[in-house]
Amino acid sequence: MKTVQRAFLGIFLAVSSASSSSQNSTITDLNVFGSGLEICSLNPLTGWFRDGYCRTDSGDHGVHVVCATMTKTFLTFTKNRGNDLSTRRGGFPGLNPGDRWCLCATRWREAMVANSAPLVVMKSTHEKTLQINSLQELMVNQVTTQHIMDIQKQEL
């Protein structure tokens, strides 16, 4: 029952946040393919606006627009760079391999260069990342069903 309540609360918060945060967004919400941006994650609830979408505005200096499926390799990489995403603290749940999260476009690029990039969920990744990362770079690291199965076997 507790899981159902959390899921309902997450959906409720995402819907109410999406209606108010859409007024705060200063850019068009399209994905890297130019179609409508899809939800990245409601559990854990992600996004600059905490509405499940990897959207941004002028206040988001990190440009949290890459929807990525976490891997053990990336979580270790980012922790070693001073951004521990795997430890629970305050209202932050801590992330695990397999969780989706909106990442800073530059952190994703840094991880890609170091061969530690997490898998990209293309339809949930905002077009603004194309100012930093190429479509080809993102596609090499996109999430497929086979990747998810491999993550479950190797890291979960």
Side-chain angles (χ1 to χ4, degrees):
M1 181 65 176
K2 196 173 195 176
T3 303
V4 172
Q5 289 173 330
R6 279 197 321 206
F8 176 76
L9 179 60
I11 291 169
F12 173 76
L13 290 173
V15 169
S16 47
S17 178
S19 63
S20 64
S21 61
S22 64
Q23 297 167 355
N24 297 330
S25 182
T26 59
I27 56 177
T28 305
D29 298 327
L30 297 176
N31 64 34
V32 293
F33 297 130
S35 58
L37 188 65
E38 295 183 8
I39 288 176
C40 180
S41 176
L42 296 176
N43 186 16
L45 189 58
T46 190
W48 172 247
F49 298 108
R50 290 298 188 262
D51 62 359
Y53 291 91
C54 296
R55 302 178 321 117
T56 190
D57 68 6
S58 59
D60 178 13
H61 300 291
V63 191
H64 295 79
V65 294
V66 178
C67 179
T69 300
M70 297 297 99
T71 61
K72 186 176 180 181
T73 300
F74 174 75
L75 290 170
T76 300
F77 170 84
T78 195
K79 184 175 185 177
N80 290 339
R81 296 291 193 278
N83 186 18
D84 182 1
L85 296 176
S86 55
T87 301
R88 178 186 202 105
R89 62 191 169 282
F92 179 70
L95 302 177
N96 298 298
D99 287 342
R100 287 183 176 186
W101 196 250
C102 295
L103 296 179
C104 297
T106 54
R107 176 52 53 106
W108 184 87
R109 179 164 201 73
E110 180 185 352
M112 181 204 58
V113 169
N115 293 317
S116 298
L119 305 170
V120 178
V121 183
M122 301 294 284
K123 292 181 179 180
S124 300
T125 295
H126 198 283
E127 67 178 349
K128 185 160 183 155
T129 196
L130 297 175
Q131 295 173 4
I132 297 167
N133 303 296
S134 75
L135 188 59
Q136 292 76 19
E137 290 166 336
L138 296 165
M139 289 182 78
V140 166
N141 290 287
Q142 71 180 311
V143 174
T144 65
T145 303
Q146 186 60 48
H147 283 122
I148 293 169
M149 290 172 22
D150 290 344
I151 288 171
Q152 290 172 343
K153 289 177 188 173
Q154 297 171 10
E155 296 185 351
L156 297 180

